[in-house]
Amino acid sequence: MTEEKFLTWVAVSESAYVRNLEFFRRLIPSKTEMSVVIKANAYGHGMAAIARLAANKGVDSFCVHSLDEAVRLRSEGFRQDILIMGPVPGSGLEQVIDQDFRLILYNPETLEELDNLTEAMKRPVRVHLKLETGTHRQGIDEAGLDKLLEKLKNASRVRLEAAYTHFANIEDTTDHSYAFEQKERFIASIDRIKQSGFSGIKRHVACSAAALLFPDTHFEMVRIGIGQYGLWPSRETFVSYKIRHSQNGESVLLPVLTWKTRISQLKTVAANRFVGYGCTFLTTRESRLAVLPVGYSDGYDRRLSNQSHVLIRGQRAPVRGRVCMNFIMADVTDIPDAGLGDEAVLIGRQGKEKVTADHLAALIGTINYEVVTRIDPGIPRVVVP
Ligand SMILES: *Cc1c(COP(=O)(O)O)cnc(C)c1O
């Protein structure tokens, strides 16, 4: 597939992605399972495209949020282990068993259903027990653990393959004491699981930030999300990594995604004319505007109105007026070469310039995760070298 035929598209760099995977593979002990988190359309990068690149590089397994995502991966032919980390309704459990997905377990109700179904189907299911250690999202707390383990012992076809937890406060701070407390609570719960007679249980706690900063969180499996896409979990993680490694973080992870569109119209507008809905921008000079066919319905946040830049011919062109549902207007008065059909980069590099997901996130008060995951899944994803 070539990029020429697209109007708005996401280019996924294979070489950047492969380099990031190789970086994590070196970071993580070779006997530790490296699972890549490809929920939310692989953080906006395109789930099928990313899964294929990861599988080609021998990534051990996938983590997704929903049964739907898991089913889509299987139907695309991926035979790797797939952990479903979000809730699955009772009506979907048969499919979990049938397609041999790994399933999060966090409550006795689901365990009971799984026990009944696996007996009826005469098929096993593998569960990963989610332990509550202080995030207070999904997970079974210490008070409920013993009872659940009792039930689990009697559910002979429900196999406890792993136990895991997720950190609440590892990206947002350079003080990691809360995460360390969670890890201690996790280890204590693992001891109780072992004392209950379960053995050979995989332990996993590490998201990207933990994997990057703390080797003692790698255990038998890691769940790498944002880092594989070449984005840092946060500024704080970047700084914490830099303190430990004195390496320039910019060269450690390479952003994989470039979001592009094309100039669909060019127009000259006199001085003292308004641009766009709400008349929020008034030209101060005769201006040349590029109309770009992308807007908030595509995931280009409306709060970027009059705030962001796009890259055209390697130069920054300011966005003028409000972001519309399907359009933005960029000022190319100072880019006289700009022509109809030219590429405009919304996120990514062009020439010596770049617009990062982090920068757009800062402009609208969010995190890079949200900026990339909100790019409309309907926009084509193209793998480029
Ligand atoms: C999304 C998610 C991850 C990945 O986190 P990153 O910060 O993107 O690496 C890991 N574990 C769980 C439970 C998640 O929900």
Side-chain angles (χ1 to χ4, degrees):
M1 257 199 293
T2 58
E3 297 182 75
E4 281 84 62
K5 65 181 197 194
F6 297 112
L7 208 53
T8 298
W9 72 105
V10 169
V12 171
S13 164
E14 176 166 359
S15 53
Y17 185 73
V18 164
R19 243 198 65 177
N20 297 334
L21 281 188
E22 286 170 349
F23 165 76
F24 278 105
R25 195 58 276 182
R26 279 196 306 277
L27 187 71
I28 292 153
S30 55
K31 40 183 205 319
T32 295
E33 174 177 339
M34 189 161 113
S35 197
V36 290
V37 182
I38 55 173
K39 64 194 178 191
N41 198 29
Y43 292 40
H45 291 62
M47 188 173 72
I50 291 294
R52 205 155 296 124
L53 294 178
N56 287 346
K57 280 307 284 183
V59 155
D60 298 310
S61 65
F62 299 118
C63 293
V64 296
H65 173 71
S66 68
L67 173 60
D68 255 23
E69 292 169 327
V71 168
R72 233 179 307 144
L73 281 173
R74 275 283 184 272
S75 70
E76 299 261 355
F78 295 102
R79 311 259 47 101
Q80 286 79 359
D81 279 325
I82 302 170
L83 171 63
I84 301 171
M85 302 192 296
V88 173
S91 60
L93 294 177
E94 199 177 320
Q95 199 165 16
V96 170
I97 299 164
D98 189 54
Q99 302 208 24
D100 193 25
F101 297 133
R102 292 164 156 177
L103 181 65
I104 182 175
L105 179 67
Y106 52 84
N107 65 356
E109 293 84 353
T110 309
L111 177 53
E112 224 154 88
E113 285 187 86
L114 286 173
D115 187 22
N116 293 337
L117 274 170
T118 50
E119 288 308 317
M121 294 167 74
K122 307 253 174 289
R123 296 266 307 269
V125 67
R126 294 176 292 163
V127 293
H128 287 211
L129 189 58
K130 183 77 180 285
L131 299 169
E132 176 57 70
T133 58
T135 303
H136 300 112
R137 196 170 69 178
Q138 289 176 297
I140 181 108
D141 59 20
E142 282 153 52
L145 182 59
D146 286 338
K147 255 196 174 146
L148 194 83
L149 291 173
E150 268 318 299
K151 265 192 170 28
L152 203 45
K153 262 190 246 171
N154 297 320
S156 59
R157 287 192 157 90
V158 182
R159 312 239 159 102
L160 184 61
E161 185 178 56
Y164 76 111
T165 196
H166 192 49
F167 293 119
N169 199 28
I170 198 152
E171 292 94 5
D172 294 271
T173 175
T174 52
D175 170 6
H176 297 101
S177 50
Y178 195 82
F180 298 151
E181 284 168 30
Q182 283 191 275
K183 200 188 85 191
E184 291 314 310
R185 250 174 254 133
F186 176 75
I187 289 170
S189 291
I190 292 287
D191 285 342
R192 277 170 66 183
I193 294 170
K194 283 186 183 156
Q195 281 156 20
S196 297
F198 294 92
S199 60
I201 311 286
K202 274 180 189 265
R203 300 163 295 174
H204 52 103
V205 300
C207 56
S208 299
L212 283 161
L213 299 178
F214 305 115
D216 63 348
T217 63
H218 292 168
F219 293 111
E220 285 79 39
M221 173 173 158
V222 295
R223 310 183 302 268
I224 306 296
I226 196 89
Q228 73 188 288
Y229 308 109
L231 301 176
W232 283 84
S234 66
R235 204 71 207 156
E236 288 79 359
T237 309
F238 181 86
V239 169
S240 302
Y241 183 86
K242 173 107 174 140
I243 289 167
R244 285 169 176 76
H245 298 266
S246 75
Q247 222 166 330
N248 183 359
E250 311 261 352
S251 62
V252 172
L253 297 176
L254 301 176
V256 169
L257 170 154
T258 307
W259 187 10
K260 299 189 211 178
T261 186
R262 287 184 194 283
I263 298 176
S264 61
Q265 191 182 1
L266 280 159
K267 57 178 55 178
T268 301
V269 179
N272 275 310
R273 293 288 192 278
F274 288 115
V275 179
Y277 288 129
C279 298
T280 61
F281 185 82
L282 185 66
T283 56
T284 55
R285 56 176 178 172
E286 185 180 274
S287 303
R288 202 152 161 263
L289 293 182
V291 179
L292 304 172
V294 68
Y296 61 78
S297 73
D298 300 292
Y300 198 82
D301 198 284
R302 189 166 173 276
R303 289 166 294 180
L304 293 171
S305 299
N306 288 308
Q307 298 294 318
S308 54
H309 291 78
V310 302
L311 306 178
I312 293 170
R313 302 237 160 196
Q315 293 180 66
R316 303 174 79 84
V319 168
R320 300 300 196 203
R322 291 233 176 104
V323 173
C324 312
M325 190 181 289
N326 297 109
F327 288 106
I328 53 177
M329 282 71 85
D331 191 331
V332 292
T333 315
D334 300 319
I335 313 175
D337 299 345
L340 196 64
D342 276 2
E343 286 187 7
V345 169
L346 307 167
I347 296 174
R349 285 177 181 278
Q350 196 186 52
K352 293 196 175 78
E353 285 288 352
K354 63 177 176 180
V355 174
T356 63
D358 293 271
H359 183 63
L360 296 189
L363 286 175
I364 62 175
T366 186
I367 51 177
N368 55 15
Y369 294 72
E370 188 182 352
V371 169
V372 291
T373 55
R374 283 183 55 206
I375 302 173
D376 180 3
I379 293 173
R381 267 65 177 176
V382 189
V383 176
V384 299

